[in-house]
Amino acid sequence: MTRHKHFAPSPVLRPYIKCFHVLEIDDALDASSFERFTPDGCFEVNFNLAGAPTRREAFGTERMLGAGYTVARSSTCYFMRPAGALRLMGVRFHPWGLHRFTSVPMEVISDSAVPSVELFGSSVLALHERLAASASETHAIAELDRYLTARLNAFDEDPLITDAAQRIEQANGLLAMKELLSPYGITQRRFQQRFKQSIGTTPKGFSRLMRFQHALRGLTAGAYVVPIDLAFEGAYYDQAHFANEFRSFAGISPTRYMAEVHPLNDAAVLNRLDGASSL
């Protein structure tokens, strides 16, 4: 049996964190094959409390992930498979959120899975022990919330880039660079440098990703009857352009994607917080 729960963070963390989540899989029979994960621009800090998943990159390389790792989902798909029973607790950050909690530039970890100790230092190892020893999910989520709240003032935010990323997300990637830059009084080159440091990709790359995400949400929600409707609604040039962009991020065509089963990825894509508990 597979169980996936979402928990809303405390109010002070909500500008930076989408949700906390707990994933439990009783045995490998629940997920004996790899599940595709599409990029969404978010960062996830995950803690394996029982078992460990195997990650396969789009180009085929496989490795088992450690006890605590951070995933950046920026431009390419990847695949995950549990290696037996799994109990995972994690934090899903907004695309601009993780930069607030570590001094490591986001471009360094873009499209990768790295040990969380590289971002947070040894304190995250002690946090992992507290999570594993927690008497309940509620206590463990509270530990995560306290840890991140304590780090919140340790690193400076780049409010200009946060604002720009939020505007791109709200516009589903349909903002021209001139319009995006107009409120800021900054050169395009400097803007791109700062954006990549905080978000992990370029403004153009992030805009493409937000267009893809908007299209994917509509596709998985059944909002489109035929692919051409989706292509034009998403402001792609034509159906071929949409199909090529979709394949760039998902690794396969829209038709093949919809024929696959990927419930964990769909939960993230659709931003499902149904029944989420709040701290």
Side-chain angles (χ1 to χ4, degrees):
M1 182 179 294
T2 300
R3 293 174 294 276
H4 195 199
K5 301 179 184 178
H6 288 136
F7 300 82
S10 57
V12 71
L13 293 178
R14 287 176 193 171
Y16 313 102
I17 294 173
K18 280 191 172 185
C19 67
F20 300 116
H21 63 99
V22 176
L23 170 64
E24 295 180 304
I25 298 177
D26 289 341
D27 56 57
L29 294 178
D30 280 343
S32 57
S33 60
F34 283 94
E35 178 175 340
R36 184 184 305 271
F37 283 81
T38 54
D40 61 0
C42 294
F43 297 85
E44 287 191 15
V45 176
N46 292 324
F47 300 87
N48 291 322
L49 305 180
T54 297
R55 173 177 167 124
R56 189 178 76 198
E57 306 298 342
F59 49 81
T61 302
E62 294 183 15
R63 65 187 174 101
M64 184 173 287
L65 298 174
Y69 60 93
T70 298
V71 176
R73 302 166 65 168
S74 301
S75 65
T76 61
C77 69
Y78 62 93
F79 305 84
M80 297 283 282
R81 181 183 67 188
L86 178 71
R87 182 169 179 247
L88 181 147
M89 185 165 291
V91 188
R92 183 174 299 132
F93 292 83
H94 289 292
W96 53 85
L98 182 58
H99 185 65
R100 194 68 172 83
F101 298 87
T102 177
S103 62
V104 176
M106 295 299 96
E107 60 187 306
V108 174
I109 62 171
S110 182
D111 283 317
S112 64
V114 300
S116 295
V117 69
E118 294 182 10
L119 279 71
F120 301 99
S122 60
S123 64
V124 79
L125 302 178
L127 171 63
H128 190 280
E129 292 181 0
R130 294 196 299 274
L131 296 178
S134 293
S136 67
E137 287 179 355
T138 302
H139 289 154
I141 295 299
E143 283 284 357
L144 273 173
D145 199 279
R146 282 193 292 269
Y147 176 82
L148 292 167
T149 299
R151 292 183 67 92
L152 189 54
N153 295 320
F155 303 96
D156 293 331
E157 183 178 10
D158 191 334
L160 185 153
I161 297 303
T162 297
D163 181 71
Q166 289 174 341
R167 288 173 59 216
I168 293 172
E169 184 184 63
Q170 290 164 4
N172 298 315
L174 301 178
L175 271 182
M177 180 61 69
K178 184 177 180 180
E179 182 181 358
L180 180 62
L181 282 174
S182 61
Y184 304 132
I186 185 175
T187 66
Q188 182 171 331
R189 181 178 180 182
R190 180 58 182 148
F191 175 72
Q192 290 177 335
Q193 290 172 339
R194 286 168 58 177
F195 197 96
K196 198 169 184 180
Q197 289 174 348
S198 295
I199 309 299
T201 186
T202 64
K204 181 179 179 181
F206 188 66
S207 295
R208 288 180 56 229
L209 178 54
M210 291 300 100
R211 286 200 299 272
F212 164 75
Q213 274 290 304
H214 178 62
L216 186 56
R217 285 194 297 271
L219 193 65
T220 56
Y224 302 100
V225 178
V226 293
I228 195 65
D229 293 337
L230 181 56
F232 289 135
E233 200 279 342
Y236 296 100
Y237 301 133
D238 52 28
Q239 187 173 352
H241 181 216
F242 164 65
N244 288 335
E245 284 288 277
F246 192 98
R247 189 175 291 106
S248 172
F249 287 109
I252 53 175
S253 69
T255 301
R256 286 187 60 194
Y257 182 88
M258 293 304 294
E260 290 184 344
V261 177
H262 20 62
L264 302 179
N265 186 62
D266 289 347
V269 165
L270 299 177
N271 295 325
R272 290 179 183 157
L273 290 175
D274 308 4
S277 301
S278 298
L279 292 175

